[in-house]
Amino acid sequence: MRIDLHCHTFHSPDSLMTLDALLQAMDRRGLDMVAVTDHNTIAGARALHARAPARVLIGEEIKTTQGELIAFFLEEEVPPGLSPEETIARVHAQGALVGASHPFDRLRGDAMGMEHLEPIHRELDFLEVLNARMTFPRDNRLAREMAARWGLPGSAGSDAHAPSEVGGAYVDMMDFEGPQDFLDNLAIGQVGGRQSSPTVHLHSIYARWHKRWKARRQ
């Protein structure tokens, strides 16, 4: 099966993608499943999972005090603003999986980087080794190198904020039953895809502007 393990919907402040648009994009790109990983909420993931439970992992991209982590198989939302250690503990307490998204992206302030990942890497379940929104290929290569050094499975995702981005990066892997089976199969899966054009960030800029404009008019 082919899975895009990092997608956003309009429940993120920097995306306007509707649930219908995401499902349609999945069909166009031949994706069997996506992880919906909105910023600091699982509302969109829950809503889409209710409509297509076999095609959606409930996830969340969580802002910690030291950068962003990404979680799959959540049942409860994990609040932002906690330390990485507390965030990881809350994810694991509900039997879910946690890793670092775009871990070495030099242009994103929310990337943890080596300084903050080194102390916690033994507590992580995986590392995102291909994020299609990375500007510099070297940053993805470094993530792959560190995942191998630390013995962590590598995930991949488009980090889509608009339908045209969906499926830009993915993992081909065997079907799974539950978090541990997913993790075992992720470890032997094949990462694929490509980096998106830097212009995709305009989707996020426009989404933030549009939502602020609407809020001021209300």
Side-chain angles (χ1 to χ4, degrees), residues 1-7 19-37 44-59 73 166 175-176 182:
M1 63 190 309
R2 179 162 291 185
I3 313 177
D4 182 340
L5 287 168
H6 192 158
C7 289
L19 304 185
D20 284 336
L22 178 51
L23 286 173
Q24 292 163 8
M26 289 173 64
D27 291 338
R28 287 196 303 271
R29 298 302 297 270
L31 293 173
D32 299 293
M33 183 176 283
V34 296
V36 177
T37 53
R46 275 179 167 166
L48 195 60
H49 184 268
R51 293 173 55 177
R55 304 190 72 187
V56 178
L57 283 182
I58 297 178
F73 295 97
V166 174
D175 200 356
F176 54 87
F182 168 88

Side-chain angles (χ1 to χ4, degrees), residues 9 17 50 55 97-98 105 108 114 117 141 158 162 167 169 173 177 179 182 193 215:
T9 75
M17 182 156 52
R55 304 190 72 187
L97 303 174
V98 61
D105 189 340
R108 288 197 232 199
M114 193 69 72
L117 279 174
R141 289 198 297 270
S158 63
M173 58 186 286
E177 294 185 11
F182 168 88

